[in-house]
Every structure is written in C-alpha cells, then in structure tokens.
Amino acid sequence: MSIFSTEVFKGKHALVTGATGGIGYETAKGLSSMGADVTITGRKEDVLNDLKDEILNDFPDAKVNVAGADLADASNREKLVQSAENAFGPVSLLVISAGMTGGGVLEDLTQEELERVMHLNFTVPILLTQRLYDSMKKNKEGAVVNVSSLSGLRGTVGGTAYVGSKFALNGFTQSFALEAIEHNIRVNAVCPGFVDTKMGRDGIKSKGERHGNSFEEQLKIENESLPSGRISTPEDVANTILFLLTDAAENIVGEAVIISGGSLMR
C-alpha cells in the first residue's frame, strides 16, 4: 500500500541509476506511481526493459525512458544525460543507487580492486551529479538521494574498499548538501543495513562463510539480531528515498538516514 499521492512529482523528471538492482528498481516504480517522468539506467538493458513493462502495466500513463549505461565510463555517462534530457527535459530528482561491493582484508586488497570500488561508489556519483547540477541550479529546484550503506558509518572486517567508498560518499553528501541548499536543492543519503537484494544476500553469504555458517543459518542470525526481527526489503529503502525526494522532507538536509531494523541499538 502506497502512502504517497499519485501527483506528488507530476511534471518532474527523475533519474535513477542502478535501476536494475532491487533498491533502484523499487524506487523507479515508486517515482512513476507518484507521477514523475522517469529515466532508468543500468548495465542490463533486458532488466531495464522488464522494469519499464512492469511500470507501464501498473501505470499506463507513466513516462519511462530506458537508457542503458556503464556509469564507470565517461562517454556512457554523457550519453545517459543526453538521453534523459532529450526524453523529458532537465533532471530535478536524482537517485544514485548504482554501486558495487568488493575488496577484502587488507593483505589481500589490490590497488586495482580498491580503485575500481572507489571509482564506481564514490567518484562516479560526484561526476554524474556535477553534470546535472547546472540545470538544477538554473531552475532553483532539485533533490538528490545517494544510496550509501550502514557500512558508511562503521567499519567491517574486509571492508577497507567498500566501507571506505561509502564513508566517502557520505562525506560528499554532506559537503554537497551545504553548497546545494543555497540553490533550493536538497541532498541526502540513505544508509541501509542488510537488504534482501542480490548484493545483500551475497553479503550475508560471505559473512556466513567467515563464521562457518550456511546462508540460511546466517540469515536467521541476522534477522534474530535485529529488534525488528528482519532485514530490510528493497521497498523499505525505496519508501525512505521517495519521502526524502518530496517537499515533506524540505528541512532534511545532508542527513544519512539509517534503515537497519534497529541494528545500532544492539
């Protein structure tokens, strides 16, 4: 059940990166249900097309632009922006959901892997946002939500690359928020703990392997360790992102909103 009006974002253009992943996928659906024109991007165009079909099946009047891209590549990012603006005009709502895990314990971490994780999780969000910022400033409106992680607030074993990239993303979020709010553009981040996505399940599996547990055993441990009794769903995170994009969140600026079932209290 949606708590949002179907016309909240009418006339606005939203760009969702990482729309082929669970969080981005659900966020794109939510934005369409709230009236936004949506550009979706990711590396798997078949998944993007499935997402578009699902949106149009549920909301026949929705406007969805599919723009497949590898955001790690500068020319792909430029083509993405051009496709988005040609389809629906300037972007005023930006959700950076694309990201990757990677790395390992320090003695096994290579420079190549470190740079790959930092590039996609930290550098790319900055460069893409920078490309879209001018039009937001000219129109004096915008909202940006970066999908960070609980790992951007505390360290984990083997997390030098991934955790470092999310700490950096949170730092960018705060710094950019201070600059952007002067132009009526709000910038925030969400910091989920484990989420029931492929990336989240892979993380639970890896953690289980370190402790000699199966995936099912480790998932049970993770669920039972949370006050809420369960890890988050993609919809949990998407709903928070959608709220942060609305004017109802107009005094939430530069925050890192934790979505973890109360894990920090345990």
Side-chain angles (χ1 to χ4, degrees):
M1 181 181 67
S2 175
I3 63 171
F4 302 108
S5 164
T6 58
E7 296 191 352
V8 171
F9 296 133
K10 191 170 184 177
K12 295 185 183 295
H13 180 191
L15 170 59
V16 181
T17 77
T20 55
I23 294 172
Y25 197 98
E26 293 300 327
T27 300
K29 287 168 57 180
L31 284 162
S32 293
S33 76
M34 297 164 73
D37 301 334
V38 181
T39 292
I40 52 176
T41 189
R43 289 182 295 175
K44 300 175 182 177
E45 290 205 38
D46 57 333
V47 178
L48 294 175
N49 286 320
D50 288 344
L51 172 56
K52 179 177 180 178
D53 290 344
E54 185 173 341
I55 290 172
L56 293 178
N57 183 64
D58 292 339
F59 310 100
D61 294 330
K63 295 181 180 178
V64 183
N65 173 42
V66 170
D70 178 358
L71 295 182
D73 181 86
S75 63
N76 272 223
R77 291 195 300 274
E78 183 57 32
K79 289 178 183 177
L80 165 63
V81 173
Q82 290 178 4
S83 172
E85 293 180 342
N86 288 340
F88 303 132
V91 172
S92 59
L93 304 172
L94 175 61
V95 179
I96 303 284
S97 185
M100 62 175 294
T101 58
V105 293
L106 187 63
E107 58 265 35
D108 296 334
L109 183 62
T110 65
Q111 180 176 340
E112 180 182 14
E113 179 72 355
L114 174 62
E115 291 177 349
R116 189 168 72 97
V117 174
M118 289 297 295
H119 182 65
L120 184 60
N121 289 359
F122 175 57
T123 305
V124 166
I126 292 175
L127 295 176
L128 180 59
T129 304
Q130 185 182 53
R131 177 62 179 80
L132 298 167
Y133 187 36
D134 278 348
S135 62
M136 289 185 182
K137 284 198 297 184
K138 287 176 184 176
N139 293 324
K140 288 286 183 182
E141 70 165 358
V144 179
V145 177
N146 293 316
V147 178
S148 184
S149 170
L150 194 61
S151 294
L153 301 172
R154 63 185 185 188
T156 62
V157 173
T160 295
Y162 179 73
V163 171
S165 71
K166 293 300 187 178
F167 263 83
L169 184 63
N170 286 343
F172 163 57
T173 298
Q174 291 187 9
S175 296
F176 181 43
L178 291 171
E179 301 170 12
I181 195 61
E182 296 182 9
H183 305 283
N184 195 38
I185 300 163
R186 292 182 303 102
V187 183
N188 290 287
V190 292
C191 293
F194 279 127
V195 182
D196 188 16
T197 62
K198 182 181 184 305
M199 183 182 292
R201 291 189 291 272
D202 286 346
I204 292 171
K205 181 181 178 182
S206 295
K207 187 173 181 180
E209 289 171 352
R210 292 199 304 272
H211 295 283
N213 298 322
S214 68
F215 168 78
E216 290 76 14
E217 289 169 336
Q218 193 62 42
L219 176 60
K220 184 172 185 291
I221 291 169
E222 298 303 325
N223 283 331
E224 290 178 351
S225 73
L226 297 173
S228 69
R230 65 171 179 84
I231 65 172
S232 297
T233 66
E235 292 86 351
D236 290 329
V237 183
N239 283 337
T240 304
I241 293 169
L242 295 171
F243 168 69
L244 290 172
L245 292 172
T246 70
D247 290 343
E250 66 179 359
N251 206 37
I252 300 179
V253 178
E255 300 290 354
V257 180
I258 298 170
I259 309 160
S260 70
S263 68
L264 294 186
M265 295 184 289
R266 287 281 175 87

